[in-house]
Amino acid sequence: MASYAIGDIQGCFEPFQQLLRHIEFNPGRDTLWLTGDLVNRGPASLEVLRWVMRHDDCVQTVLGNHDLHLLAVSEGFGRVKSDDTLSAVLDASDGKLLLDWLRCQPLMVADQEFAMVHAGLMPDWTIGKALRLAEEVEGELAGPGFRRFMAQLYGNKPARWSDELRGMDRLRLVVNAMTRMRFINRDGELDLTFKGELDKAPASLTPWFDVPNRRSTALPIICGHWSALGLYLTDEILAIDTGCLWGGSLTALRLEDRQVFSLACVAERALVV
């Protein structure tokens, strides 16, 4: 019995299946932790969603920004981008079933040994506080106010956490941190402008996980989202988005011993017609 964490799939179904074969994943024996962004820009988002939902008993995923984008677009909110590849899901006969399942997935999970979130956590949050904040958002996503919530989700403000935040300002910042964050600026604000490599970042920006006195150090955090960061493993951070979509690789990390398994990917976006 083994537990594996796998980075952002983004509709790259065939590389995902190849990696599962490579690690000899057995659904009746092993478990998967998926860092979110199951869908979009790759050629087979529908197949990914169907597989993950079908194996819900042995797979734990969290929501990424592309997963939330799919939910927003399905409700008529958000701007459909030229490189989106979501139409197969939206047009599928089982599309509503898949979307209803997706919106009931968590923003963050944790057990006794690891926590997992798609992007990151604000420096002021402990693991416990972050889980409670994630539950606030999850209640909106799975509840009767889902459409109202999605209609107000998009936006980059507020950028600084305060316990005094309420309503959509509070919820939007939680979502942006957990699904979009890479850097914090000198004022302690979420910066969503720079998406590149660490050594090319402006001096005014600090990776969220390197902010001094970060309070979420009780558990190692598994995350994805940042393909330009690549595989980044420390005692505290297990970042495993290695850019399969862009012709990089898809990576699995065995959690029991932190052994890495990676398979090179063709540029999956080139397969989209």
Side-chain angles (χ1 to χ4, degrees):
M1 179 176 178
S3 298
Y4 298 91
I6 294 181
D8 303 25
I9 300 170
Q10 287 201 248
C12 300
F13 182 68
E14 285 306 319
F16 176 47
Q17 294 301 296
Q18 291 169 17
L19 182 59
L20 292 180
R21 290 192 291 270
H22 179 66
I23 63 177
E24 299 181 349
F25 177 74
N26 183 331
R29 177 194 65 201
D30 304 325
T31 58
L32 285 184
W33 291 45
L34 303 179
T35 62
D37 275 3
L38 300 178
V39 303
N40 206 17
R41 297 187 178 168
S45 294
L46 177 60
E47 289 80 0
V48 173
L49 283 180
R50 284 172 171 167
W51 190 95
V52 177
M53 190 178 78
R54 189 166 66 249
H55 294 86
D56 191 61
D57 58 337
C58 63
V59 176
Q60 177 64 73
T61 190
V62 290
L63 291 167
N65 52 303
H66 285 280
D67 306 316
L68 290 172
H69 179 59
L70 168 60
L71 291 172
V73 169
S74 74
E75 296 296 329
F77 306 118
R79 179 173 58 88
V80 178
K81 302 172 184 177
S82 60
D83 55 357
D84 283 348
T85 58
L86 301 173
S87 58
V89 178
L90 299 173
D91 296 339
S93 59
D94 56 347
K96 186 179 186 308
L97 178 66
L98 293 166
L99 293 168
D100 285 345
W101 170 84
L102 186 64
R103 71 184 179 100
C104 292
Q105 302 311 301
L107 268 186
M108 180 181 173
V109 296
D111 63 10
Q112 297 301 309
E113 297 186 59
F114 299 94
M116 181 171 67
V117 67
H118 179 62
L121 302 178
M122 296 298 286
D124 291 343
W125 299 344
T126 63
I127 295 292
K129 181 171 186 172
L131 287 167
R132 292 190 294 273
L133 291 171
E135 287 178 356
E136 294 181 23
V137 173
E138 292 156 12
E140 296 293 329
L141 286 169
F146 169 61
R147 278 186 53 82
R148 181 178 66 253
F149 173 79
M150 296 308 299
Q152 302 175 74
L153 180 60
Y154 282 94
N156 295 342
K157 299 295 181 181
R160 186 183 182 94
W161 175 254
S162 167
D163 287 337
E164 303 306 312
L165 287 173
R166 294 291 182 268
M168 274 307 302
D169 281 348
R170 179 183 178 94
L171 298 173
R172 188 183 302 111
L173 180 52
V174 172
V175 170
N176 284 344
M178 292 190 180
T179 68
R180 300 175 62 199
M181 178 164 62
R182 296 177 181 90
F183 290 97
I184 298 291
N185 68 21
R186 287 172 176 163
D187 295 324
E189 296 175 337
L190 178 63
D191 183 280
L192 298 171
T193 59
F194 185 78
K195 303 179 181 181
E197 299 170 8
L198 276 181
D199 59 0
K200 296 179 182 177
S204 60
L205 300 181
T206 301
W208 68 269
F209 46 77
D210 281 341
V211 173
N213 302 313
R214 176 172 61 86
R215 300 188 65 198
S216 55
T217 58
L219 292 172
I221 298 175
I222 304 164
C223 58
H225 181 60
W226 194 349
S227 60
L229 177 67
L231 185 66
Y232 185 89
L233 304 178
T234 70
D235 289 343
E236 297 181 347
I237 299 297
L238 309 172
I240 55 174
D241 179 7
T242 47
C244 180
L245 178 71
W246 309 104
S249 60
L250 190 62
T251 293
L253 179 70
R254 190 164 59 202
L255 298 180
E256 286 77 13
D257 58 5
R258 302 201 184 189
Q259 183 171 345
V260 174
F261 304 85
S262 291
L263 287 183
C265 300
V266 298
E268 287 287 301
R269 287 192 66 192
L271 302 179
V272 180
V273 178

